[in-house]
Amino acid sequence: MVARMIPTQQPASDDRGEPARWADGNKDGIGTAIAETSRVWFSTSGGILTEAFYPAPDQACIRLLELVVTDGKDFLSEEVLDTQHAAGVPHAVAPLCSLLNSCKLGRYQLEKEIIADPLSDVILQRVRFTALQDGAYRLFCVLEPHLGNRGDDNTALVGAHKGVPMLFAFRDDGLALALACSAPILAATAGFVGADGRVGLRAT
């Protein structure tokens, strides 16, 4: 399958849109890598990955990473708002967080496993989507950067690395992040706080 990107006319930065916000302080879990080679930490709340921290545990790089499920017609569901959440630690040794999000309308279920790569500054998330009711569902990933503990002055853009479509964000002080997916990214856009891709999905 060929990945099809929707490029923005210009990179998005938070000089427009609403004021930046912090993530929910009520955490379900926190984790880091089992080896000191990796310098990333992460937290979870409301069934999603909230802050990712780098290069120290007091330096947030994102506000949240959540999935939005839609049928492209009259159904749109956000993980934080529209699912019931369960969190767990499935292994006694491995620093792995598991999350289970069940649609409040009984239409789907999302299972997640989140772990920090012990050999690189990467957070890995494995996601399994299960449709519980018939429907042509589509999944969209929403990433809100918060580099250097700041939600303002982050620049986001759609691009590619070695031919792989990715979403990028960076700041002028040298901090940057990238979001990649093992499944093909068919469409992507970069927006602003309060005017991101979720707004467009609600309008369809």
Side-chain angles (χ1 to χ4, degrees):
M1 184 179 294
V2 177
R4 177 175 56 85
M5 307 301 291
I6 299 177
T8 54
Q9 295 299 316
Q10 61 181 5
S13 59
D14 280 336
D15 56 354
R16 291 184 281 172
E18 299 175 4
R21 301 179 293 268
W22 281 95
D24 190 341
N26 184 21
K27 303 303 180 187
D28 300 319
I30 188 166
T32 188
I34 200 168
E36 295 183 1
T37 306
S38 175
R39 294 174 294 169
V40 293
W41 292 257
F42 65 87
S43 64
T44 63
S45 177
I48 66 169
L49 177 69
T50 50
E51 292 96 350
F53 301 94
Y54 170 88
D58 61 350
Q59 296 290 310
C61 290
I62 72 169
R63 177 178 178 266
L64 61 79
L65 175 65
E66 77 164 333
L67 295 175
V68 176
V69 181
T70 177
D71 63 0
K73 298 177 182 178
D74 55 1
F75 176 71
L76 187 143
S77 178
E78 298 182 38
E79 281 188 282
V80 172
L81 299 176
D82 302 316
T83 68
Q84 296 176 328
H85 323 297
V89 181
H91 300 286
V93 178
L96 177 73
C97 290
S98 67
L99 302 172
L100 177 63
N101 293 331
S102 302
C103 173
K104 293 178 181 179
L105 298 178
R107 299 187 67 166
Y108 70 87
Q109 192 173 74
L110 282 163
E111 300 172 76
K112 299 181 179 180
E113 292 181 330
I114 305 173
I115 193 168
D117 189 325
L119 300 178
S120 59
D121 300 323
V122 174
I123 295 173
L124 302 170
Q125 183 171 242
R126 180 165 61 184
V127 179
R128 174 178 294 174
F129 174 84
T130 302
L132 303 179
Q133 296 182 19
D134 290 340
Y137 299 109
R138 296 183 293 172
L139 272 67
F140 293 85
C141 182
V142 178
L143 172 68
E144 295 186 6
H146 206 99
L147 292 163
N149 283 333
R150 292 180 59 183
D152 58 345
D153 295 327
N154 290 260
T155 298
L157 56 88
V158 177
H161 176 66
K162 295 183 178 180
V164 179
M166 295 185 186
L167 297 176
F168 299 94
F170 61 90
R171 287 176 53 86
D172 291 340
D173 56 13
L175 289 171
L177 65 84
L179 173 67
C181 183
S182 60
I185 299 177
L186 301 181
T189 187
F192 303 88
V193 176
D196 56 25
R198 283 171 292 200
V199 175
L201 291 174
R202 295 189 192 102
T204 58

